[in-house]
Amino acid sequence: MISKRIAAGLAGATALSLVLAACGDNGGGSSSSSGTTVSSLSVLDYYNNDPDKSLVQKGLDSCASQLGITIKRETVPGDTLIQKVLQQASSKTLPDVLMLDNPDVQQIAATGALAPLNDMGLNGDGVIKGMVDATSYDGKLYGLAPVTNTIALFYNKDMLAEAGVQPPKTWDELKAAAKKLTKPGRYGMAFNANATYEGSWQFLPAMWTNGGDETDLTSPQVAEALQLWVDLVKSGSASKSVINWTQGDVNDQFIAGKAAMMVNGPWQIPSLNKNPKVKWDVVQFPVNKVGQTPVAPLGGEAWTVPLNKDQAKQQKAADFVKCLNSDENELAWAKARFTLPTKTALLDQYVTEVPSMKAFGEQVVNARARTGKLGDKWPEAAKVIYQAIQLALTGKASAQDAFKQASGG
Amino acid sequence: MAHATLTPTSEVKAPGPARRSRRHRGESLTKVLFVLPAALAMLALFGYPVVKNLLMSLQDYGLRTFFTGQAPWVGLQNYTAVVKDKLFSDAMVNTALFTIGSIVFQFAIGLGLALFFHRRFPLSGVLRSLLLLPWLLPLIVSSATWRSILEQDSGILNRTLMGLHLVDDPVPWLNSPSVALIAVIGVNIWIGIPFNVTLLYSGLAEIPDELYEAGQLDGATGWRSFWYITWPNLRAVASVLLMLGVVYTIKVLDIILGLTGGGPANATQTLATQSYEKSFIDFKFGQGAALSNILIAISFLFAIFYLRSTRRAIDE
């Protein structure tokens, strides 16, 4: 074992010295290995539907023209991106610039496929800490996300006014409001508790706000959070179908007037705005006890640079990522796509310009990355979370035992 | 024999066998050439995946493998890991219930409908072709449709049942761990009926009418004619149908993924959905391959069972 490690270390050291030597050479004659100027970059992302597809294209085009290059862009559906990346990795045809959902960055970086961006003049200065955590691995930065999102509590203004209910600030208020807003054909509250990572993602505001932590899922704080979901469903304030709903289904229920409140993200705003009859607003996720701070998970995609033998191309790709994360582009994308800029300095300006994003702007400052603590081990915890939710909501386990059962205890 | 008559007797000494073998060789070469394309296709499309899957199940084949190309050998570790998994026994039971439940009802209902359509009546042709519809729909479409039909609060099935006062509370078709498997099996039965009707109907059409006429003279009508004439003549078709049914049903994935995704609370996990989950959600491709090999082995057992029973039938 030890000898193997030493061997690996030696191999690593040799590789490093070779790289250093190569770098030294480059300084002498820049025209030797990569003399040809980079004229085009290939890009892969999962914004395959309009309006996002063309809005992203605009940002990509403007950066391309700034760098004097052309881009060859490929888009794939979101759930097939990782499979596509794996295929490309095994056939050594990864793109020059690769978009990844932020919780996937560490997993892919762990395989050694990505180039560390620190070495190429990029850093995460001024970026929300949670996002830097998500896109770093082993102390190095592997990606930068221009915009981010999170989830909060949407509510139907007319329904709350009609029932004489204020937007809830605590869990008790949330339960009371949900109950009061429930009537035949309508539930007070809707959320997604399905058996996918999306179900875990929607549970995190409750879990994190209450001080629960993915490093110890059997803690009472986590159980209390689960109890909130159980109470909402058991009391009939939320549909039993939440265990099968996606976030899109939740949004459909809200638009159809079958739910008065919902947990969802700002990417639903364009479809909400298409239905002017639905008057809505957003508040931060309620807290369990007064004095707690709402903590929600960070969403959004990071742009990374896969390792490239062509050093000049790799550097150009890094420059391209840097341009995508310029203040100008962050604000442009955030405004056009109802997302939030990742630089904290831009948030205030943004929220005054886009008031409907106010609650999200407040919530995102304290938001955490899913992979912030567990890194590439996060998917295992996320799986335990959604399985525990399913056990508790179907009555197969109490909220106290669900996490122990789901983690195989 | 043909060679012997053509060969002059004077040349009997030695060249005879040589020439014979050369001709033989030519003949066998043609045979080989005829078999070759099919054999190559089998190797590429059937042999390679099976062998690759076997190898993968003995390797630590994960996300990293795609980037580094390294997949260390781990022997039978993947197999012990999946068998020890707390969901394995549940998945086995669910797979058995799903397969048996689907096939029994598909076959029974299919046979009933085939017999019904066998007595030709006006519009029977049209009705029979309409019956094929579930088979023609893409599985993702039918599972999405059924998901909305079975929805607890606003699904059309619960609305109808409550409107007819058959149930008081909406049935949690896909939301309760104790009902979801039944609902999923029900949808799979619906999808499998056309296949069963088609094959059994053609089997029925093969039975000569004279047999029934002769039987009638001997007093075999109604149930007796079914039991002594129809069933024995249908047995060959039925055994093919059941064998194919097992092999098709045991590996059903898209319907379950579309309806429940294996949930709620893992109540509809089968070996196939587990294998999918290990490979494409956990990225433990080695374990996914191990599970699918177990599935292949089970299907293989049924195939052997079928081959033996048909061979016995031929021998008889």
Side-chain angles (χ1 to χ4, degrees), chain A residues 346-369:
Chain A
L346 301 175
L347 272 174
D348 286 339
Q349 184 199 340
Y350 172 73
V351 169
T352 48
E353 284 178 50
V354 191
S356 63
M357 293 293 287
K358 188 168 167 288
F360 289 109
E362 292 161 359
Q363 183 124 340
V364 84
V365 182
N366 297 311
R368 258 170 64 184

Side-chain angles (χ1 to χ4, degrees), chain A residues 82-83 85-87 89-90 92 94 107-108 110-111 113 187 195 197 239-241 243-246 249 253 258 380 383 386-387 390-391 394 396 405-408, chain B residues 63-69 86-87 90 147 151-154 159 172 174-177 259-261 263-267 269 276-278 280-285:
Chain A
I82 293 294
Q83 285 169 39
V85 169
L86 294 182
Q87 280 166 19
S90 58
K92 311 270 178 247
L94 280 169
Q107 238 183 334
I108 303 293
T111 66
Y187 288 103
Y197 294 142
S239 168
K240 287 197 170 68
S241 300
I243 54 170
N244 280 321
W245 280 350
T246 63
D249 294 332
Q253 296 286 325
K258 289 181 176 174
E380 285 157 36
K383 215 172 159 180
Y386 70 66
Q387 288 186 341
Q390 294 259 313
L391 287 173
T394 53
K396 286 187 109 179
Q405 253 189 54
S407 52
Chain B
L63 208 54
R64 196 179 289 265
T65 310
F66 287 87
F67 297 93
T68 60
K86 61 186 167 21
L87 283 176
D90 287 351
R147 210 174 86 108
E151 219 275 327
Q152 186 170 357
D153 299 317
S154 46
R159 283 291 175 94
L174 300 175
N175 295 340
S176 153
L259 282 172
T260 63
N266 292 321
Q269 292 281 6
Y276 173 84
E277 204 176 298
K278 293 270 185 233
F280 297 108
I281 294 176
D282 301 351
F283 300 125
K284 289 175 184 160
F285 293 92

Side-chain angles (χ1 to χ4, degrees), chain B:
Chain B
M1 284 304 280
H3 315 243
T5 46
L6 283 170
T7 326
T9 37
S10 57
E11 282 185 4
V12 153
K13 282 188 224 166
R19 200 189 259 184
R20 197 176 290 175
S21 76
R22 200 181 303 149
R23 245 190 225 175
H24 229 64
R25 214 178 292 154
E27 218 171 277
S28 52
L29 187 70
T30 355
K31 278 183 197 159
V32 167
L33 281 176
F34 270 113
V35 172
L36 200 66
L40 281 179
M42 284 277 281
L43 264 181
L45 301 173
F46 187 73
Y48 174 75
V50 167
V51 173
K52 176 81 184 165
N53 210 39
L54 268 175
L55 292 179
M56 252 168 104
S57 71
L58 303 173
Q59 289 172 309
D60 179 10
Y61 205 106
L63 208 54
R64 196 179 289 265
T65 310
F66 287 87
F67 297 93
T68 60
Q70 287 163 355
W73 291 97
V74 292
L76 293 174
Q77 256 179 46
N78 286 327
Y79 287 92
T80 48
V82 297
V83 171
K84 275 187 187 158
D85 193 298
K86 61 186 167 21
L87 283 176
F88 182 76
S89 55
D90 287 351
M92 274 296 251
V93 172
N94 285 346
T95 310
L97 289 175
F98 182 79
T99 310
I100 295 168
S102 297
I103 287 182
V104 166
F105 285 96
Q106 278 173 5
F107 185 81
I109 299 172
L111 184 59
L113 284 170
L115 286 168
F116 178 67
F117 283 111
H118 189 52
R119 358 156 132 223
R120 294 192 191 94
F121 53 88
L123 288 182
S124 69
V126 178
L127 280 176
R128 200 158 47 84
S129 40
L130 276 181
L131 213 81
L132 286 179
L133 221 59
W135 202 15
L136 302 177
L137 283 176
L139 288 177
I140 286 297
V141 175
S142 17
S143 55
T145 314
W146 274 102
R147 210 174 86 108
S148 69
I149 293 174
L150 297 172
E151 219 275 327
Q152 186 170 357
D153 299 317
S154 46
I156 190 166
L157 184 59
N158 273 344
R159 283 291 175 94
T160 313
L161 290 176
M162 287 178 60
L164 294 171
H165 298 288
L166 289 172
V167 292
D168 294 330
D169 292 312
V171 183
W173 292 113
L174 300 175
N175 295 340
S176 153
S178 46
V179 186
L181 188 64
I182 297 171
V184 171
I185 293 174
V187 174
N188 193 50
I189 292 170
W190 176 81
I191 289 168
I193 287 173
F195 178 66
N196 282 263
V197 173
T198 311
L199 283 198
L200 288 170
Y201 181 84
S202 63
L204 285 176
E206 293 279 296
I207 304 174
D209 284 339
E210 295 83 45
L211 284 180
Y212 290 100
E213 284 161 18
Q216 240 161 7
L217 291 178
D218 294 332
T221 50
W223 266 109
R224 290 168 71 93
S225 89
F226 173 79
W227 199 243
Y228 291 109
I229 302 171
T230 314
W231 184 244
N233 282 293
L234 211 55
R235 253 187 31 206
V237 176
S239 62
V240 174
L241 190 59
L242 290 175
M243 209 281 295
L244 287 177
V246 169
V247 174
Y248 284 156
T249 311
I250 208 166
K251 67 178 175 62
V252 162
L253 174 72
D254 18 23
I255 301 164
I256 301 179
L257 282 188
L259 282 172
T260 63
N266 292 321
T268 53
Q269 292 281 6
T270 63
L271 288 181
T273 60
Q274 276 287 291
S275 166
Y276 173 84
E277 204 176 298
K278 293 270 185 233
S279 295
F280 297 108
I281 294 176
D282 301 351
F283 300 125
K284 289 175 184 160
F285 293 92
Q287 293 192 12
L291 267 174
S292 61
N293 282 333
I294 294 175
L295 258 183
I296 292 173
I298 297 173
S299 304
F300 199 61
L301 275 180
F302 278 95
I304 290 174
F305 185 70
Y306 162 74
L307 285 177
R308 289 197 118 193
S309 70
T310 48
R311 185 177 301 160
R312 206 182 308 139
I314 291 166
D315 287 348
E316 277 168 9

